[in-house]
Amino acid sequence: MDTEAIAFAPFEAHHLDGAVALSREAAWPHRKEDWAMIWALSEGRVALEGDSVVGTAFMTPFGETCATLNLIIVDERMRGRGLGRRLTAAALELAGDRECRLTATADGLPLYEKLGFVATHKIRQHQGITGQIDAPANVKWVGPEALPTLVALDRAAFGANRAALYEALAKEGPFAAIQNGESIVAFAATRPFGRGEVVGPVVAENVDQARDLIAFILSGKQGRFVRIDIPEHAGLSSWLEGLGLAHVGGPIAMVRGATDKSQSAGVRTFALASQALG
């Protein structure tokens, strides 16, 4: 069918099943719950052939200055006809003047470059079955009362206010933290995702803190399938492979309309919440 006959509409709840079917065909691990979580934080556009979902694109805003574009997918039989470009353009329109970030496959890179995105670094995806790991003594679980502090630390590392994301993460799983006296200085989250569970985001002052946070969380997941997505410069890849979490590839992080978001000297991101959300 000519893509001119494809209808575009806001993404709604009744599109979720079709979207999940698309992602399964593309060998994405996302469950319906994973789609629903991102949709709850986002605005989306869906491409429809009759009543069938043949493409999606989401824009997740983080305040008025930053957004991620994600869950951009096109039915395999519709690819090569410009539908991905139209969906991405629709998501960019939703983003307005915000800086936009996304993660791209090698195949998607040329399209995003034509739309003004610039590659910044690679993401390394690690996953596998967790073995027996000792829990470091300097990490503990923290409750919802810590959320304002965690949001502030994440803002310093990520460069935008992701309070809504952290409220959603708190409903999905717990947070672990490292304290200096009474102050939280580093933290990590974990939740169900895809084939098993994910660890991320991890925000810390240094790689030693990041390792302790991850080890603490993994110590309670022996025998489970766990995934962690890290920036290539995190300094964790060899260590994660040593824990049995193999490097299985990963996308390329890109940005469009970058603004100066100089990180504070304190913390940086060692693992992503997800490839979709950064």
Side-chain angles (χ1 to χ4, degrees):
M1 178 178 283
D2 191 329
T3 55
E4 292 300 321
I6 298 295
F8 284 74
F11 193 99
E12 298 179 354
H14 63 274
H15 297 130
L16 278 170
D17 287 334
V20 173
L22 274 187
S23 60
R24 286 177 178 165
E25 289 174 3
W28 290 11
H30 298 61
R31 307 165 301 154
K32 186 174 182 178
E33 295 89 343
D34 302 322
W35 275 88
M37 176 186 165
I38 297 175
W39 173 52
L41 298 167
S42 310
E43 293 184 71
R45 290 292 180 265
V46 60
L48 298 167
E49 182 184 51
D51 293 329
S52 298
V53 175
V54 294
T56 67
F58 285 18
M59 184 282 297
T60 308
F62 300 126
E64 297 301 318
T65 61
C66 184
T68 59
L69 303 192
N70 49 64
L71 298 183
I72 300 172
I73 187 170
V74 174
D75 189 317
E76 185 173 355
R77 66 189 176 85
M78 301 294 292
R79 293 175 189 171
R81 306 185 194 182
L83 187 54
R85 184 186 184 100
R86 293 172 64 191
L87 282 163
T88 306
L92 284 170
E93 185 176 353
L94 291 172
D97 294 332
R98 293 177 177 89
E99 173 188 302
C100 291
R101 308 181 192 183
L102 57 74
T103 54
T105 63
D107 289 341
L109 192 66
L111 166 62
Y112 299 127
E113 287 178 334
K114 289 176 183 177
L115 291 171
F117 284 88
V118 177
T120 57
H121 59 276
K122 293 180 180 179
I123 303 298
R124 296 176 67 88
Q125 180 177 327
H126 285 265
Q127 62 188 43
I129 303 299
T130 305
Q132 184 173 355
I133 298 171
D134 294 331
N138 61 327
V139 185
K140 69 175 185 178
W141 297 112
V142 293
E145 71 283 351
L147 272 180
T149 300
L150 307 187
V151 169
L153 287 170
D154 178 77
R155 184 170 188 169
F158 184 84
N161 187 343
R162 300 199 291 177
L165 169 61
Y166 275 77
E167 290 175 5
L169 292 175
K171 296 175 183 176
E172 297 291 322
F175 292 92
I178 294 173
Q179 291 184 238
N180 183 357
E182 296 297 318
S183 299
I184 293 173
V185 295
F187 72 89
T190 184
R191 69 186 192 281
F193 175 83
R195 295 171 54 189
E197 298 173 71
V198 65
V199 177
V202 176
V203 175
E205 296 173 313
N206 54 60
V207 69
D208 291 333
Q209 289 178 345
R211 287 175 178 170
D212 285 347
L213 288 161
I214 293 169
F216 178 84
I217 290 175
L218 294 182
S219 70
K221 299 185 185 296
Q222 185 175 354
R224 302 183 198 175
F225 182 88
V226 175
R227 170 174 169 171
I228 304 178
D229 293 282
I230 63 171
E232 63 178 340
H233 48 72
L236 293 169
S237 199
S238 296
W239 179 74
L240 289 171
E241 289 182 324
L243 296 180
L245 301 184
H247 174 219
V248 294
I252 301 160
M254 306 190 77
V255 64
R256 180 180 188 265
T259 56
D260 183 14
K261 292 185 174 69
S262 299
Q263 295 180 357
S264 69
V267 292
R268 60 189 177 99
T269 301
F270 285 86
L272 312 184
S274 70
Q275 291 181 11
L277 297 168

mmCIF file of all heavy atoms in Angstrom, residues 93-126:
data_model
loop_
_atom_site.group_PDB
_atom_site.id
_atom_site.type_symbol
_atom_site.label_atom_id
_atom_site.label_comp_id
_atom_site.label_asym_id
_atom_site.label_seq_id
_atom_site.Cartn_x
_atom_site.Cartn_y
_atom_site.Cartn_z
ATOM 1 N N GLU A 93 7.993 17.225 15.913
ATOM 2 C CA GLU A 93 7.014 18.318 16.012
ATOM 3 C C GLU A 93 6.429 18.376 17.415
ATOM 4 O O GLU A 93 6.231 19.452 17.978
ATOM 5 C CB GLU A 93 5.915 18.125 14.976
ATOM 6 C CG GLU A 93 4.918 19.272 14.925
ATOM 7 C CD GLU A 93 3.897 19.112 13.820
ATOM 8 O OE1 GLU A 93 4.026 18.187 12.992
ATOM 9 O OE2 GLU A 93 2.940 19.922 13.789
ATOM 10 N N LEU A 94 6.181 17.222 18.006
ATOM 11 C CA LEU A 94 5.676 17.185 19.377
ATOM 12 C C LEU A 94 6.700 17.767 20.351
ATOM 13 O O LEU A 94 6.337 18.391 21.350
ATOM 14 C CB LEU A 94 5.356 15.740 19.785
ATOM 15 C CG LEU A 94 4.165 15.069 19.097
ATOM 16 C CD1 LEU A 94 4.106 13.596 19.478
ATOM 17 C CD2 LEU A 94 2.855 15.760 19.475
ATOM 18 N N ALA A 95 7.982 17.569 20.069
ATOM 19 C CA ALA A 95 9.038 18.036 20.969
ATOM 20 C C ALA A 95 9.207 19.549 20.939
ATOM 21 O O ALA A 95 9.738 20.132 21.891
ATOM 22 C CB ALA A 95 10.359 17.362 20.608
ATOM 23 N N GLY A 96 8.785 20.198 19.863
ATOM 24 C CA GLY A 96 8.930 21.646 19.774
ATOM 25 C C GLY A 96 10.389 22.070 19.777
ATOM 26 O O GLY A 96 11.205 21.533 19.028
ATOM 27 N N ASP A 97 10.727 23.009 20.649
ATOM 28 C CA ASP A 97 12.090 23.554 20.693
ATOM 29 C C ASP A 97 13.014 22.791 21.644
ATOM 30 O O ASP A 97 14.142 23.220 21.875
ATOM 31 C CB ASP A 97 12.053 25.029 21.122
ATOM 32 C CG ASP A 97 11.365 25.914 20.094
ATOM 33 O OD1 ASP A 97 11.407 25.558 18.903
ATOM 34 O OD2 ASP A 97 10.780 26.930 20.494
ATOM 35 N N ARG A 98 12.550 21.697 22.203
ATOM 36 C CA ARG A 98 13.380 20.946 23.146
ATOM 37 C C ARG A 98 14.605 20.332 22.458
ATOM 38 O O ARG A 98 14.537 19.935 21.296
ATOM 39 C CB ARG A 98 12.581 19.824 23.805
ATOM 40 C CG ARG A 98 11.456 20.266 24.725
ATOM 41 C CD ARG A 98 10.724 19.034 25.238
ATOM 42 N NE ARG A 98 9.672 19.363 26.183
ATOM 43 C CZ ARG A 98 8.406 19.626 25.835
ATOM 44 N NH1 ARG A 98 8.055 19.599 24.546
ATOM 45 N NH2 ARG A 98 7.510 19.913 26.754
ATOM 46 N N GLU A 99 15.682 20.230 23.201
ATOM 47 C CA GLU A 99 16.780 19.358 22.785
ATOM 48 C C GLU A 99 16.234 17.937 22.721
ATOM 49 O O GLU A 99 15.532 17.493 23.635
ATOM 50 C CB GLU A 99 17.919 19.430 23.799
ATOM 51 C CG GLU A 99 19.040 18.441 23.538
ATOM 52 C CD GLU A 99 20.061 18.388 24.654
ATOM 53 O OE1 GLU A 99 20.656 19.449 24.963
ATOM 54 O OE2 GLU A 99 20.252 17.300 25.241
ATOM 55 N N CYS A 100 16.553 17.209 21.658
ATOM 56 C CA CYS A 100 16.041 15.845 21.502
ATOM 57 C C CYS A 100 17.182 14.840 21.495
ATOM 58 O O CYS A 100 18.194 15.035 20.813
ATOM 59 C CB CYS A 100 15.244 15.725 20.209
ATOM 60 S SG CYS A 100 13.686 16.625 20.221
ATOM 61 N N ARG A 101 17.008 13.772 22.243
ATOM 62 C CA ARG A 101 17.985 12.697 22.293
ATOM 63 C C ARG A 101 17.315 11.396 21.857
ATOM 64 O O ARG A 101 16.116 11.206 22.056
ATOM 65 C CB ARG A 101 18.544 12.535 23.710
ATOM 66 C CG ARG A 101 19.074 13.835 24.323
ATOM 67 C CD ARG A 101 19.622 13.596 25.716
ATOM 68 N NE ARG A 101 19.876 14.840 26.426
ATOM 69 C CZ ARG A 101 20.409 14.916 27.633
ATOM 70 N NH1 ARG A 101 20.775 13.786 28.265
ATOM 71 N NH2 ARG A 101 20.597 16.086 28.222
ATOM 72 N N LEU A 102 18.093 10.508 21.268
ATOM 73 C CA LEU A 102 17.585 9.187 20.916
ATOM 74 C C LEU A 102 18.750 8.223 20.807
ATOM 75 O O LEU A 102 19.916 8.626 20.811
ATOM 76 C CB LEU A 102 16.770 9.211 19.621
ATOM 77 C CG LEU A 102 17.382 9.730 18.317
ATOM 78 C CD1 LEU A 102 18.387 8.763 17.689
ATOM 79 C CD2 LEU A 102 16.288 10.011 17.299
ATOM 80 N N THR A 103 18.424 6.939 20.737
ATOM 81 C CA THR A 103 19.437 5.926 20.448
ATOM 82 C C THR A 103 19.088 5.294 19.115
ATOM 83 O O THR A 103 17.934 4.959 18.850
ATOM 84 C CB THR A 103 19.513 4.848 21.553
ATOM 85 O OG1 THR A 103 18.213 4.285 21.766
ATOM 86 C CG2 THR A 103 20.026 5.456 22.842
ATOM 87 N N ALA A 104 20.095 5.144 18.256
ATOM 88 C CA ALA A 104 19.879 4.699 16.880
ATOM 89 C C ALA A 104 20.651 3.429 16.588
ATOM 90 O O ALA A 104 21.791 3.260 17.030
ATOM 91 C CB ALA A 104 20.333 5.796 15.906
ATOM 92 N N THR A 105 20.019 2.539 15.819
ATOM 93 C CA THR A 105 20.759 1.414 15.260
ATOM 94 C C THR A 105 21.631 1.927 14.115
ATOM 95 O O THR A 105 21.443 3.042 13.612
ATOM 96 C CB THR A 105 19.799 0.347 14.722
ATOM 97 O OG1 THR A 105 19.027 0.920 13.648
ATOM 98 C CG2 THR A 105 18.858 -0.152 15.813
ATOM 99 N N ALA A 106 22.563 1.109 13.683
ATOM 100 C CA ALA A 106 23.404 1.500 12.550
ATOM 101 C C ALA A 106 22.552 1.754 11.315
ATOM 102 O O ALA A 106 22.835 2.664 10.525
ATOM 103 C CB ALA A 106 24.448 0.420 12.282
ATOM 104 N N ASP A 107 21.483 0.971 11.139
ATOM 105 C CA ASP A 107 20.607 1.142 9.976
ATOM 106 C C ASP A 107 19.848 2.469 10.051
ATOM 107 O O ASP A 107 19.589 3.099 9.027
ATOM 108 C CB ASP A 107 19.605 -0.007 9.886
ATOM 109 C CG ASP A 107 20.261 -1.323 9.477
ATOM 110 O OD1 ASP A 107 21.383 -1.277 8.915
ATOM 111 O OD2 ASP A 107 19.665 -2.382 9.720
ATOM 112 N N GLY A 108 19.481 2.894 11.267
ATOM 113 C CA GLY A 108 18.712 4.118 11.419
ATOM 114 C C GLY A 108 19.543 5.382 11.422
ATOM 115 O O GLY A 108 19.014 6.485 11.244
ATOM 116 N N LEU A 109 20.868 5.227 11.574
ATOM 117 C CA LEU A 109 21.749 6.387 11.715
ATOM 118 C C LEU A 109 21.632 7.382 10.556
ATOM 119 O O LEU A 109 21.510 8.596 10.794
ATOM 120 C CB LEU A 109 23.194 5.897 11.861
ATOM 121 C CG LEU A 109 24.234 6.911 12.307
ATOM 122 C CD1 LEU A 109 23.976 7.388 13.725
ATOM 123 C CD2 LEU A 109 25.636 6.305 12.212
ATOM 124 N N PRO A 110 21.645 6.942 9.284
ATOM 125 C CA PRO A 110 21.566 7.917 8.184
ATOM 126 C C PRO A 110 20.295 8.764 8.220
ATOM 127 O O PRO A 110 20.346 9.971 7.948
ATOM 128 C CB PRO A 110 21.616 7.032 6.931
ATOM 129 C CG PRO A 110 22.312 5.786 7.371
ATOM 130 C CD PRO A 110 21.843 5.569 8.784
ATOM 131 N N LEU A 111 19.156 8.154 8.552
ATOM 132 C CA LEU A 111 17.909 8.910 8.633
ATOM 133 C C LEU A 111 18.003 10.001 9.680
ATOM 134 O O LEU A 111 17.664 11.168 9.420
ATOM 135 C CB LEU A 111 16.746 7.970 8.968
ATOM 136 C CG LEU A 111 15.439 8.658 9.413
ATOM 137 C CD1 LEU A 111 14.887 9.537 8.303
ATOM 138 C CD2 LEU A 111 14.406 7.631 9.861
ATOM 139 N N TYR A 112 18.488 9.644 10.863
ATOM 140 C CA TYR A 112 18.535 10.622 11.947
ATOM 141 C C TYR A 112 19.545 11.726 11.665
ATOM 142 O O TYR A 112 19.322 12.882 12.020
ATOM 143 C CB TYR A 112 18.821 9.917 13.273
ATOM 144 C CG TYR A 112 17.761 8.907 13.636
ATOM 145 C CD1 TYR A 112 18.085 7.586 13.955
ATOM 146 C CD2 TYR A 112 16.419 9.265 13.646
ATOM 147 C CE1 TYR A 112 17.109 6.668 14.264
ATOM 148 C CE2 TYR A 112 15.431 8.341 13.963
ATOM 149 C CZ TYR A 112 15.779 7.042 14.273
ATOM 150 O OH TYR A 112 14.807 6.130 14.573
ATOM 151 N N GLU A 113 20.633 11.376 10.995
ATOM 152 C CA GLU A 113 21.597 12.412 10.612
ATOM 153 C C GLU A 113 20.963 13.417 9.652
ATOM 154 O O GLU A 113 21.194 14.629 9.752
ATOM 155 C CB GLU A 113 22.834 11.765 9.992
ATOM 156 C CG GLU A 113 23.718 11.053 11.010
ATOM 157 C CD GLU A 113 24.915 10.375 10.387
ATOM 158 O OE1 GLU A 113 24.851 10.017 9.184
ATOM 159 O OE2 GLU A 113 25.924 10.191 11.093
ATOM 160 N N LYS A 114 20.140 12.928 8.717
ATOM 161 C CA LYS A 114 19.462 13.824 7.776
ATOM 162 C C LYS A 114 18.474 14.744 8.498
ATOM 163 O O LYS A 114 18.177 15.843 8.013
ATOM 164 C CB LYS A 114 18.734 13.005 6.717
ATOM 165 C CG LYS A 114 19.663 12.309 5.734
ATOM 166 C CD LYS A 114 18.893 11.429 4.768
ATOM 167 C CE LYS A 114 19.829 10.680 3.836
ATOM 168 N NZ LYS A 114 19.094 9.754 2.934
ATOM 169 N N LEU A 115 17.983 14.304 9.651
ATOM 170 C CA LEU A 115 17.032 15.101 10.423
ATOM 171 C C LEU A 115 17.730 15.993 11.449
ATOM 172 O O LEU A 115 17.071 16.616 12.281
ATOM 173 C CB LEU A 115 16.027 14.178 11.119
ATOM 174 C CG LEU A 115 15.047 13.466 10.180
ATOM 175 C CD1 LEU A 115 14.235 12.414 10.941
ATOM 176 C CD2 LEU A 115 14.111 14.462 9.506
ATOM 177 N N GLY A 116 19.062 16.054 11.380
ATOM 178 C CA GLY A 116 19.796 16.983 12.223
ATOM 179 C C GLY A 116 20.377 16.409 13.492
ATOM 180 O O GLY A 116 20.939 17.149 14.306
ATOM 181 N N PHE A 117 20.303 15.093 13.684
ATOM 182 C CA PHE A 117 20.884 14.472 14.873
ATOM 183 C C PHE A 117 22.382 14.233 14.668
ATOM 184 O O PHE A 117 22.825 13.954 13.554
ATOM 185 C CB PHE A 117 20.199 13.141 15.186
ATOM 186 C CG PHE A 117 18.841 13.285 15.821
ATOM 187 C CD1 PHE A 117 17.697 13.406 15.032
ATOM 188 C CD2 PHE A 117 18.704 13.315 17.200
ATOM 189 C CE1 PHE A 117 16.448 13.541 15.611
ATOM 190 C CE2 PHE A 117 17.450 13.449 17.786
ATOM 191 C CZ PHE A 117 16.325 13.568 16.985
ATOM 192 N N VAL A 118 23.123 14.322 15.752
ATOM 193 C CA VAL A 118 24.566 14.116 15.737
ATOM 194 C C VAL A 118 24.910 12.991 16.721
ATOM 195 O O VAL A 118 24.446 12.998 17.868
ATOM 196 C CB VAL A 118 25.319 15.405 16.129
ATOM 197 C CG1 VAL A 118 26.812 15.162 16.189
ATOM 198 C CG2 VAL A 118 24.991 16.528 15.149
ATOM 199 N N ALA A 119 25.715 12.045 16.286
ATOM 200 C CA ALA A 119 26.135 10.951 17.166
ATOM 201 C C ALA A 119 27.066 11.479 18.253
ATOM 202 O O ALA A 119 27.939 12.317 17.989
ATOM 203 C CB ALA A 119 26.825 9.859 16.359
ATOM 204 N N THR A 120 26.867 10.994 19.487
ATOM 205 C CA THR A 120 27.705 11.434 20.608
ATOM 206 C C THR A 120 28.550 10.305 21.192
ATOM 207 O O THR A 120 29.717 10.510 21.514
ATOM 208 C CB THR A 120 26.843 12.050 21.714
ATOM 209 O OG1 THR A 120 25.847 11.087 22.140
ATOM 210 C CG2 THR A 120 26.147 13.317 21.225
ATOM 211 N N HIS A 121 27.978 9.110 21.339
ATOM 212 C CA HIS A 121 28.739 7.983 21.868
ATOM 213 C C HIS A 121 27.932 6.706 21.668
ATOM 214 O O HIS A 121 26.751 6.753 21.300
ATOM 215 C CB HIS A 121 29.044 8.176 23.365
ATOM 216 C CG HIS A 121 27.814 8.323 24.224
ATOM 217 N ND1 HIS A 121 27.165 9.519 24.398
ATOM 218 C CD2 HIS A 121 27.118 7.409 24.957
ATOM 219 C CE1 HIS A 121 26.119 9.342 25.192
ATOM 220 N NE2 HIS A 121 26.076 8.073 25.539
ATOM 221 N N LYS A 122 28.567 5.577 21.927
ATOM 222 C CA LYS A 122 27.899 4.282 21.818
ATOM 223 C C LYS A 122 27.348 3.853 23.176
ATOM 224 O O LYS A 122 27.876 4.222 24.222
ATOM 225 C CB LYS A 122 28.863 3.213 21.296
ATOM 226 C CG LYS A 122 29.299 3.434 19.855
ATOM 227 C CD LYS A 122 30.252 2.328 19.403
ATOM 228 C CE LYS A 122 30.690 2.547 17.959
ATOM 229 N NZ LYS A 122 31.636 1.488 17.516
ATOM 230 N N ILE A 123 26.281 3.068 23.116
ATOM 231 C CA ILE A 123 25.722 2.415 24.298
ATOM 232 C C ILE A 123 26.079 0.939 24.225
ATOM 233 O O ILE A 123 25.968 0.310 23.163
ATOM 234 C CB ILE A 123 24.187 2.572 24.345
ATOM 235 C CG1 ILE A 123 23.774 4.048 24.307
ATOM 236 C CG2 ILE A 123 23.618 1.877 25.574
ATOM 237 C CD1 ILE A 123 24.274 4.873 25.467
ATOM 238 N N ARG A 124 26.532 0.384 25.325
ATOM 239 C CA ARG A 124 26.889 -1.035 25.386
ATOM 240 C C ARG A 124 25.830 -1.776 26.197
ATOM 241 O O ARG A 124 25.628 -1.488 27.381
ATOM 242 C CB ARG A 124 28.275 -1.214 26.004
ATOM 243 C CG ARG A 124 29.384 -0.585 25.163
ATOM 244 C CD ARG A 124 30.743 -0.690 25.840
ATOM 245 N NE ARG A 124 31.214 -2.064 25.939
ATOM 246 C CZ ARG A 124 31.919 -2.700 24.997
ATOM 247 N NH1 ARG A 124 32.235 -2.071 23.884
ATOM 248 N NH2 ARG A 124 32.323 -3.938 25.176
ATOM 249 N N GLN A 125 25.144 -2.700 25.547
ATOM 250 C CA GLN A 125 24.106 -3.499 26.199
ATOM 251 C C GLN A 125 24.725 -4.774 26.756
ATOM 252 O O GLN A 125 25.347 -5.547 26.033
ATOM 253 C CB GLN A 125 23.002 -3.842 25.200
ATOM 254 C CG GLN A 125 21.861 -4.668 25.785
ATOM 255 C CD GLN A 125 20.769 -4.921 24.767
ATOM 256 O OE1 GLN A 125 20.509 -4.081 23.900
ATOM 257 N NE2 GLN A 125 20.098 -6.066 24.856
ATOM 258 N N HIS A 126 24.548 -4.988 28.066
ATOM 259 C CA HIS A 126 25.034 -6.194 28.739
ATOM 260 C C HIS A 126 23.846 -6.958 29.304
ATOM 261 O O HIS A 126 22.912 -6.356 29.855
ATOM 262 C CB HIS A 126 25.987 -5.828 29.876
ATOM 263 C CG HIS A 126 27.341 -5.389 29.410
ATOM 264 N ND1 HIS A 126 28.418 -6.250 29.322
ATOM 265 C CD2 HIS A 126 27.795 -4.181 28.993
ATOM 266 C CE1 HIS A 126 29.476 -5.580 28.881
ATOM 267 N NE2 HIS A 126 29.129 -4.324 28.675
#
